Amino acid sequence: MSAALEEIEAENPSAYPPSIQAGIPALGETPKGWSRYRLGELLHKVERPAKLVNIETYQLVTARRNRGGIVAREVLRGNQIRTKTQFYVEAGDFLISNRQISHGACGIVPESLNRAVVSNEYTAFHTSHALDPAFLNALSHSIYFQQTCFHSSIGVHVEKLVFRLEDWMGWDFDIPPLHEQKRIVAVLNSWNQAIDQTERLLTATKQAYHSKLNGFTNATSVPMQRLDEVTRVNLRSLPAKTDPDFEFDYFDIAAADDGTDEELSGRITFKSAPSRARRQVLKEGVVYSTVRPLLRRLFIAKKRSDAVYSTGYSILEPLETCSVSYLRHILVSSVVERQIYARLTGSGYPAISENDLAEIQIPLPEMGSQSLIAGELNEIERQHSLYIRYANALRTQKRGLMQKLLTGERQLDGRFDDFVPAVRTAAGGVA
């Protein structure tokens, strides 16, 4: 490790890139049945110079940070590529970005990018007979691998580190036999498949929500009414003469995300509050962001004397003909958002005024139908939330299992099914 990096680590561990866990890479005892190799014994540099032709086109690629893989960039003619020293990569190459490897920019070149080109800022490798490329790709997610990349770099700023390939090739790695590598990769792939399947369920529930919502609202038989006819807009605000020591929970404009949670920005006093801390809820209403409203920052708020909301919100408190739960859903329907979009002003932070919001027309069936609609949509949202939590749990569990399998802390010992997750549906069954 360079003296500069030692100084960084000693004085400021947070100077590590977000993708790298702080610490000096260190191997313990080699796991039973595994072998220790220098990285230079496992990886062989591959170079395929590309002689650019001005009128021919070339697919460029890039390596995403945080082990995000190798992905396509633009397609350019030879005379449009500024860096003339280019090299071909082929499917199956392990590719690193020399400038970004300390941030985890590496991966296997997929079939779709075979014979793409990269500059000399990249290095392509083949693996030796002792290392399966898929296992190497998994190994690149290990804490130890990431730390060796960082500690093979020099510089005083994490965004300007210079990678020293020769230093990296000198690190030792503990590697299992090939058959064990393949079994570990199969286990990790099963977790990836479970995560992908859960992601598909997330997409399906999101689509089902908007399909059902817009199916309800686009019915021609449903009467339309203006928001100011079925709600009271911004009924109460804190007066300028409010007691300076009045203490309240403040909800800033970024307090809600995706319409699912009411999140506290902080507890403050009136004298220390920003001038936009004014809105209050008299009974129960929908807190709706009028700044960039198509981001769908909205939530239901109960009456609370110690809760204050930013003037970047409008508080819509429904009358007896409108359900607050139905109102929250209807505000993100296509029939409403088209009207919102037509009334937006401003470019960087488009907003809708209180007066324009009041004129928006919403479909308003009778209360019984509103309750049924809101109930069905609430149930889809509940399923969606369960899938979010399950997907996050799968990712967390996979990360923990991966580190143990890649270091030999846990070995399969003939078992396989015990390490394979099942994808559970929101109803509790297995998908």
Side-chain angles (χ1 to χ4, degrees):
M1 180 173 63
S2 71
L5 286 178
E6 287 180 347
E7 185 176 345
I8 289 175
E9 183 169 351
E11 294 186 0
N12 183 17
S14 64
Y16 280 78
S19 62
I20 305 296
Q21 181 172 307
I24 298 174
L27 291 175
E29 184 178 347
T30 301
K32 183 179 179 180
W34 291 33
S35 301
R36 182 163 295 187
Y37 299 88
R38 281 189 307 104
L39 191 58
E41 298 176 281
L42 297 170
L43 297 183
H44 307 301
K45 187 175 178 180
V46 181
E47 290 186 349
R48 309 179 189 92
K51 186 176 180 180
L52 300 182
V53 178
N54 287 342
I55 61 173
E56 291 186 7
T57 59
Y58 300 87
Q59 173 69 66
L60 279 66
V61 301
T62 189
R64 284 180 174 169
R65 290 184 173 193
N66 305 323
R67 278 73 55 195
I70 308 304
V71 297
R73 290 177 60 195
E74 66 268 38
V75 175
L76 297 177
R77 294 191 309 274
N79 59 3
Q80 293 175 312
I81 299 176
R82 293 183 179 180
T83 303
K84 298 305 178 183
T85 306
Q86 297 285 322
F87 298 86
Y88 289 110
V89 295
E90 294 184 354
D93 288 353
F94 184 73
L95 186 66
I96 68 169
S97 167
N98 298 327
R99 286 185 177 271
Q100 299 293 327
I101 185 59
S102 58
H103 297 271
C106 61
I108 298 291
V109 177
E111 286 287 347
S112 60
L113 295 175
N114 187 53
R115 300 296 286 178
V117 297
V118 295
S119 73
N120 55 4
E121 296 294 344
Y122 289 80
T123 303
F125 297 96
H126 278 177
T127 60
S128 74
H129 68 278
L131 182 61
D132 184 90
F135 183 80
L136 171 62
N137 198 44
L139 190 63
S140 71
H141 291 256
S142 70
I143 293 171
Y144 179 78
F145 184 100
Q146 297 160 27
Q147 289 176 335
T148 64
C149 294
F150 180 73
H151 287 285
S152 299
S153 304
I154 59 173
V156 295
H157 192 285
V158 295
E159 292 298 332
K160 298 179 181 179
L161 297 178
V162 177
F163 184 60
R164 296 174 66 93
L165 182 62
E166 299 82 5
D167 291 352
W168 191 48
M169 290 290 109
W171 287 97
D172 288 334
F173 278 78
D174 287 332
I175 304 296
L178 274 172
H179 71 275
E180 188 70 6
Q181 293 178 39
K182 294 180 183 297
R183 297 184 74 223
I184 291 172
V185 168
V187 167
L188 297 178
N189 283 343
S190 72
W191 282 81
N192 291 334
Q193 291 166 8
I195 292 169
D196 290 344
Q197 190 172 353
T198 307
E199 292 285 357
R200 289 194 292 272
L201 291 170
L202 276 169
T203 300
T205 51
K206 188 172 184 178
Q207 292 174 341
Y209 174 88
H210 288 287
S211 176
K212 189 169 286 289
L213 172 62
N214 293 324
F216 289 138
T217 58
N218 290 333
T220 56
S221 59
V222 179
M224 304 286 286
Q225 288 192 256
R226 285 169 46 127
L227 272 176
D228 60 0
E229 295 174 338
V230 297
T231 70
R232 293 290 178 261
V233 182
N234 299 331
L235 271 181
R236 180 173 178 177
S237 295
L238 287 177
K241 295 182 179 180
T242 298
D243 181 353
D245 295 323
F246 171 56
E247 189 176 75
F248 53 86
D249 288 335
Y250 176 51
F251 297 84
D252 202 350
I253 192 62
D257 183 25
D258 241 2
T260 55
D261 295 300
E262 178 181 3
E263 297 179 358
L264 184 63
S265 293
R267 192 164 182 86
I268 55 178
T269 59
F270 185 75
K271 63 185 175 186
S272 63
S275 60
R276 61 182 178 273
R278 288 293 184 271
R279 304 270 194 241
Q280 286 192 295
V281 177
L282 275 181
K283 48 176 187 175
E284 181 181 55
V286 175
V287 181
Y288 181 83
S289 174
T290 53
V291 179
R292 301 174 75 182
L294 299 182
L295 291 181
R296 298 171 177 167
R297 290 195 294 249
L298 74 167
F299 52 90
I300 294 174
K302 306 289 185 181
K303 176 184 177 180
R304 285 178 53 194
S305 60
D306 65 341
V308 177
Y309 305 86
S310 168
T311 52
Y313 290 113
S314 275
I315 313 295
L316 305 173
E317 299 182 43
L319 302 176
E320 58 276 2
T321 58
C322 183
S323 155
V324 68
S325 183
Y326 174 82
L327 178 63
R328 179 177 70 84
H329 292 298
I330 209 67
L331 287 171
V332 299
S333 66
S334 59
V335 69
V336 169
E337 290 196 331
R338 282 194 296 267
Q339 299 175 67
I340 298 285
Y341 181 78
R343 291 168 170 80
L344 291 179
T345 59
S347 55
Y349 289 90
I352 184 170
S353 70
E354 176 182 326
N355 290 337
D356 283 343
L357 181 64
E359 294 176 354
I360 296 296
Q361 294 198 352
I362 65 169
L364 196 73
E366 49 85 23
M367 284 293 288
S369 295
Q370 291 180 41
S371 296
L372 289 174
I373 292 169
E376 290 188 38
L377 295 173
N378 287 341
E379 175 58 23
I380 297 175
E381 282 188 330
R382 185 190 70 81
Q383 293 178 2
H384 190 74
S385 296
L386 286 174
Y387 291 141
I388 289 175
R389 290 198 293 273
Y390 189 59
N392 290 337
L394 284 174
R395 292 188 190 96
T396 300
Q397 292 165 6
K398 180 201 165 187
R399 283 195 297 269
L401 177 62
M402 176 186 290
Q403 300 304 328
K404 293 179 179 179
L405 289 176
L406 294 176
T407 59
E409 182 180 341
R410 289 188 69 180
Q411 297 193 13
L412 297 177
D413 295 330
R415 294 173 295 147
F416 187 87
D417 291 344
D418 292 349
F419 292 85
V420 177
V423 177
R424 300 192 175 278
T425 67
V430 177

